PDB file of all heavy atoms in Angstrom:
ATOM      1  N   VAL J 139     186.435  35.809 156.391  1.00 98.00           N
ATOM      2  CA  VAL J 139     186.139  37.046 157.128  1.00 98.00           C
ATOM      3  C   VAL J 139     186.153  38.196 156.126  1.00 98.00           C
ATOM      4  O   VAL J 139     186.756  38.087 155.057  1.00 98.00           O
ATOM      5  CB  VAL J 139     187.180  37.316 158.246  1.00 98.00           C
ATOM      6  CG1 VAL J 139     187.132  36.229 159.322  1.00 98.00           C
ATOM      7  CG2 VAL J 139     188.602  37.424 157.683  1.00 98.00           C
ATOM      8  N   GLY J 140     185.508  39.292 156.489  1.00 98.00           N
ATOM      9  CA  GLY J 140     185.556  40.448 155.589  1.00 98.00           C
ATOM     10  C   GLY J 140     184.468  41.449 155.923  1.00 98.00           C
ATOM     11  O   GLY J 140     183.426  41.094 156.485  1.00 98.00           O
ATOM     12  N   GLU J 141     184.726  42.680 155.567  1.00 98.00           N
ATOM     13  CA  GLU J 141     183.827  43.783 155.902  1.00 98.00           C
ATOM     14  C   GLU J 141     182.881  44.103 154.746  1.00 98.00           C
ATOM     15  O   GLU J 141     183.208  43.869 153.587  1.00 98.00           O
ATOM     16  CB  GLU J 141     184.654  45.030 156.269  1.00 98.00           C
ATOM     17  CG  GLU J 141     185.198  45.838 155.105  1.00 98.00           C
ATOM     18  CD  GLU J 141     186.368  45.182 154.359  1.00 98.00           C
ATOM     19  OE1 GLU J 141     186.807  44.086 154.749  1.00 98.00           O
ATOM     20  OE2 GLU J 141     186.832  45.782 153.349  1.00 98.00           O
ATOM     21  N   THR J 142     181.735  44.669 155.080  1.00 97.00           N
ATOM     22  CA  THR J 142     180.807  45.154 154.062  1.00 97.00           C
ATOM     23  C   THR J 142     181.288  46.518 153.563  1.00 97.00           C
ATOM     24  O   THR J 142     182.189  47.142 154.159  1.00 97.00           O
ATOM     25  CB  THR J 142     179.393  45.323 154.625  1.00 97.00           C
ATOM     26  OG1 THR J 142     179.454  46.323 155.659  1.00 97.00           O
ATOM     27  CG2 THR J 142     178.851  44.022 155.205  1.00 97.00           C
ATOM     28  N   LEU J 143     180.644  46.994 152.511  1.00 97.00           N
ATOM     29  CA  LEU J 143     180.994  48.326 151.999  1.00 97.00           C
ATOM     30  C   LEU J 143     180.723  49.402 153.054  1.00 97.00           C
ATOM     31  O   LEU J 143     181.541  50.295 153.285  1.00 97.00           O
ATOM     32  CB  LEU J 143     180.199  48.607 150.719  1.00 97.00           C
ATOM     33  CG  LEU J 143     180.526  49.929 150.026  1.00 97.00           C
ATOM     34  CD1 LEU J 143     181.992  49.988 149.618  1.00 97.00           C
ATOM     35  CD2 LEU J 143     179.632  50.129 148.804  1.00 97.00           C
ATOM     36  N   ALA J 144     179.576  49.304 153.725  1.00 97.00           N
ATOM     37  CA  ALA J 144     179.231  50.303 154.745  1.00 97.00           C
ATOM     38  C   ALA J 144     180.279  50.291 155.859  1.00 97.00           C
ATOM     39  O   ALA J 144     180.674  51.354 156.364  1.00 97.00           O
ATOM     40  CB  ALA J 144     177.845  50.022 155.312  1.00 97.00           C
ATOM     41  N   GLU J 145     180.740  49.111 156.227  1.00 97.00           N
ATOM     42  CA  GLU J 145     181.758  49.024 157.287  1.00 97.00           C
ATOM     43  C   GLU J 145     183.076  49.628 156.809  1.00 97.00           C
ATOM     44  O   GLU J 145     183.732  50.356 157.560  1.00 97.00           O
ATOM     45  CB  GLU J 145     181.934  47.565 157.720  1.00 97.00           C
ATOM     46  CG  GLU J 145     180.743  47.053 158.531  1.00 97.00           C
ATOM     47  CD  GLU J 145     180.632  45.538 158.639  1.00 97.00           C
ATOM     48  OE1 GLU J 145     181.300  44.805 157.861  1.00 97.00           O
ATOM     49  OE2 GLU J 145     179.844  45.083 159.482  1.00 97.00           O
ATOM     50  N   ARG J 146     183.456  49.370 155.556  1.00 97.00           N
ATOM     51  CA  ARG J 146     184.694  49.988 155.044  1.00 97.00           C
ATOM     52  C   ARG J 146     184.550  51.502 155.016  1.00 97.00           C
ATOM     53  O   ARG J 146     185.433  52.229 155.463  1.00 97.00           O
ATOM     54  CB  ARG J 146     185.046  49.452 153.651  1.00 97.00           C
ATOM     55  CG  ARG J 146     186.269  50.136 153.036  1.00 97.00           C
ATOM     56  CD  ARG J 146     186.882  49.356 151.914  1.00 97.00           C
ATOM     57  NE  ARG J 146     187.675  48.235 152.385  1.00 97.00           N
ATOM     58  CZ  ARG J 146     188.979  48.268 152.654  1.00 97.00           C
ATOM     59  NH1 ARG J 146     189.663  49.394 152.516  1.00 97.00           N
ATOM     60  NH2 ARG J 146     189.627  47.200 153.069  1.00 97.00           N
ATOM     61  N   GLU J 147     183.418  51.960 154.507  1.00 96.00           N
ATOM     62  CA  GLU J 147     183.229  53.416 154.405  1.00 96.00           C
ATOM     63  C   GLU J 147     183.116  54.073 155.773  1.00 96.00           C
ATOM     64  O   GLU J 147     183.410  55.251 155.928  1.00 96.00           O
ATOM     65  CB  GLU J 147     182.010  53.716 153.528  1.00 96.00           C
ATOM     66  CG  GLU J 147     182.313  53.380 152.065  1.00 96.00           C
ATOM     67  CD  GLU J 147     181.149  53.606 151.112  1.00 96.00           C
ATOM     68  OE1 GLU J 147     179.997  53.768 151.578  1.00 96.00           O
ATOM     69  OE2 GLU J 147     181.392  53.602 149.897  1.00 96.00           O
ATOM     70  N   GLY J 148     182.721  53.296 156.773  1.00 97.00           N
ATOM     71  CA  GLY J 148     182.656  53.826 158.135  1.00 97.00           C
ATOM     72  C   GLY J 148     183.947  53.598 158.905  1.00 97.00           C
ATOM     73  O   GLY J 148     183.966  53.732 160.130  1.00 97.00           O
ATOM     74  N   ASN J 149     185.021  53.277 158.194  1.00 97.00           N
ATOM     75  CA  ASN J 149     186.333  53.023 158.820  1.00 97.00           C
ATOM     76  C   ASN J 149     186.286  51.918 159.870  1.00 97.00           C
ATOM     77  O   ASN J 149     186.976  51.989 160.890  1.00 97.00           O
ATOM     78  CB  ASN J 149     186.885  54.307 159.463  1.00 97.00           C
ATOM     79  CG  ASN J 149     187.351  55.281 158.403  1.00 97.00           C
ATOM     80  OD1 ASN J 149     187.922  54.866 157.388  1.00 97.00           O
ATOM     81  ND2 ASN J 149     187.065  56.554 158.606  1.00 97.00           N
ATOM     82  N   LEU J 150     185.456  50.923 159.611  1.00 98.00           N
ATOM     83  CA  LEU J 150     185.293  49.842 160.584  1.00 98.00           C
ATOM     84  C   LEU J 150     185.971  48.542 160.146  1.00 98.00           C
ATOM     85  O   LEU J 150     185.807  47.510 160.799  1.00 98.00           O
ATOM     86  CB  LEU J 150     183.796  49.578 160.817  1.00 98.00           C
ATOM     87  CG  LEU J 150     183.020  50.723 161.463  1.00 98.00           C
ATOM     88  CD1 LEU J 150     181.530  50.431 161.476  1.00 98.00           C
ATOM     89  CD2 LEU J 150     183.524  50.973 162.886  1.00 98.00           C
TER      90      LEU J 150
END
Side-chain angles (χ1 to χ4, degrees):
V139 296
E141 80 287 358
T142 63
L143 184 60
E145 288 162 345
R146 176 162 283 269
E147 289 178 346
N149 287 322
L150 295 172

